[in-house]
Amino acid sequence: MKTPLTELVGVRHPVVQTGMGWVAGPRLVSATANAGALGILASATMTVEQLRAAVREVKSRTPAPFGVNLRADAGDARDRVRIIIDEGVRVASFALAPSKELIAELKDAGVVVIPSVGARRHAEKVAAWGADAVLVQGGEGGGHTGEVATTVLLPQVVDAVGIPVVAAGGFYDGRGLVAALAYGAAGVAMGTRFLLTSDSPVPDAVKARYLAASVKDVTVTTRVDGLPHRMLRTELVAGLERSGRLASLARAVRHAAAFRKVSGLGWARLARDGLAMKHGKDLTWSQVLLAANTPMMLRSAMVDGRPELGVMASGQVAGVIDDLPSCAELVARLMREAAEVMDGLRGRYGPGSGPPGD
């Protein structure tokens, strides 16, 4: 299936595996790439040295194109961009809008730039700055999310920009891919669906928690880091909802100290990144401090296998997923389903069939 996305980045299928912290490492990204989709390496939880090693590991596992997700507001963003350029990575994706200068630097080096956006105005801004495509996530998506559903947000963005649009939030099968294409998207991006594969490094016990969840077991809370965050509803999340402001800030201080050790960053560097985050997202200092909760609470579940001590970011689709295919099986199934849906539509509503009801 050829779309503007496949032609832009050189993959066989218009499917993207999103850059999930602690999850989207070399193993998952290379499996996705070998399946013909676009794997995105999550770098926010890696040091610069770890990122370079991870990029080289992916390259050793697959000859296919892949991408790296960056935090545009990170103090070492340019160092990470230099790794992407030096190592010949095909795609740079961003959780926050990169600057016009950063986009130009990447494009001059032949790197495809795909920022993630959650609003029409953000898509218009990065398109005007030269972004090659945008990934638009509706409220159904996991992690940090907005309030507008994908079915409302996606056509807004498609109508507003003249570059390929990748749809995220609520996708997990071939029917969703066809629906996104009908809205004008060039492909779909999925996080939770790729997290729940046999190639995902998430511990089996944690995957089992996801598979057991219903749609109603996925909730949105602001009590982890001060911003809306979609995740599985657990006893820990319920406790966070009940906890007071001082307890939340004290927990964030502990997690900031822990993340400093894991990331190798000094307090001065964390402060600079916090200041950049504050201005980039217009946050209060309390929210900036709370942001330290996110990487460590995700790590407890996604790496250590301790969901009782951490949180599990999740799209609403977790409630309708019930298996753990490999990435190759997942992508092949998704494309087969999409072909069957399109064939069915042509047979039902093709030339000479007349409008529904005739």
Side-chain angles (χ1 to χ4, degrees):
M1 181 184 290
K2 290 184 180 180
T3 75
L5 174 66
T6 64
E7 295 179 350
L8 177 66
V9 301
V11 294
R12 298 197 308 273
H13 307 302
V15 178
V16 178
Q17 161 255 302
T18 59
M20 299 165 281
W22 305 117
V23 177
R27 173 178 156 185
L28 181 61
V29 172
S30 58
T32 300
N34 283 326
L38 179 66
I40 302 292
L41 192 67
S43 78
T45 52
M46 299 178 184
T47 65
V48 172
E49 293 75 18
Q50 288 170 340
L51 172 59
R52 187 182 296 277
V55 166
R56 291 179 175 177
E57 183 176 348
V58 175
K59 290 167 62 178
S60 73
R61 289 169 173 253
T62 179
F66 66 97
V68 170
N69 181 258
L70 306 171
R71 265 187 52 195
D73 60 349
D76 59 3
R78 287 198 173 276
D79 294 334
R80 294 169 185 266
V81 164
R82 179 47 51 188
I83 290 175
I84 288 176
I85 294 172
D86 291 346
E87 296 293 335
V89 175
R90 180 60 178 155
V91 175
S93 74
F94 292 88
L96 294 175
S99 66
K100 185 177 182 179
E101 293 73 23
L102 208 56
I103 292 175
E105 181 179 349
L106 286 160
K107 287 173 65 70
D108 287 346
V111 180
V112 175
V113 180
I114 308 180
S116 297
V117 299
R120 172 179 173 170
R121 67 182 185 278
H122 298 154
E124 291 173 330
K125 179 174 70 174
V126 296
W129 286 353
D132 296 290
V134 290
L135 189 155
V136 53
Q137 178 178 303
E140 300 93 325
H144 293 114
T145 188
E147 298 178 351
V148 182
T150 304
T151 50
V152 175
L153 181 60
L154 175 59
Q156 277 189 318
V157 175
V158 168
D159 291 344
V161 300
I163 56 177
V165 176
V166 182
F171 298 102
Y172 67 100
D173 64 5
R175 293 174 298 178
L177 172 57
V178 174
L181 295 176
Y183 273 115
V188 296
M190 305 184 297
T192 305
R193 178 64 276 194
F194 276 102
L195 184 155
L196 294 174
T197 61
S198 60
D199 295 304
S200 163
V202 173
D204 290 342
V206 176
K207 291 179 184 177
R209 293 286 294 270
Y210 278 97
L211 294 178
S214 70
V215 172
K216 292 185 178 181
D217 291 326
V218 185
T219 188
V220 175
T221 182
T222 60
R223 298 309 296 270
V224 172
D225 59 10
L227 297 173
H229 202 121
R230 188 176 290 283
M231 59 188 62
L232 290 191
R233 190 191 308 275
T234 63
E235 291 182 5
L236 175 62
V237 172
L240 292 174
E241 292 283 354
R242 293 191 298 267
S243 64
R245 181 170 176 271
L246 290 179
S248 298
L249 292 177
R251 183 187 305 108
V253 170
R254 295 196 302 272
H255 285 154
F259 185 64
R260 186 179 70 86
K261 292 182 179 179
V262 171
S263 65
L265 301 177
W267 286 111
R269 170 62 189 288
L270 286 177
R272 288 197 301 272
D273 284 359
L275 184 62
M277 183 187 301
K278 182 178 187 297
H279 292 314
K281 295 183 179 179
D282 194 24
L283 305 180
T284 66
W285 277 113
S286 293
Q287 288 174 317
V288 170
L289 182 56
L290 284 172
N293 280 318
T294 303
M296 297 313 298
M297 295 187 80
L298 286 171
R299 188 180 193 275
S300 293
M302 302 304 181
V303 178
D304 301 335
R306 301 290 302 277
E308 73 278 8
L309 299 178
V311 296
M312 293 173 281
S314 177
Q316 286 183 306
V317 296
V320 294
I321 293 174
D322 59 7
D323 64 348
L324 297 171
S326 67
C327 288
E329 292 167 340
L330 171 62
V331 173
R333 182 171 71 192
L334 189 144
M335 299 310 300
R336 182 176 65 251
E337 290 170 347
E340 291 170 352
V341 169
M342 289 190 292
D343 286 344
L345 290 172
R346 280 191 287 264
R348 191 177 307 170
Y349 305 121
S353 64
D358 277 11

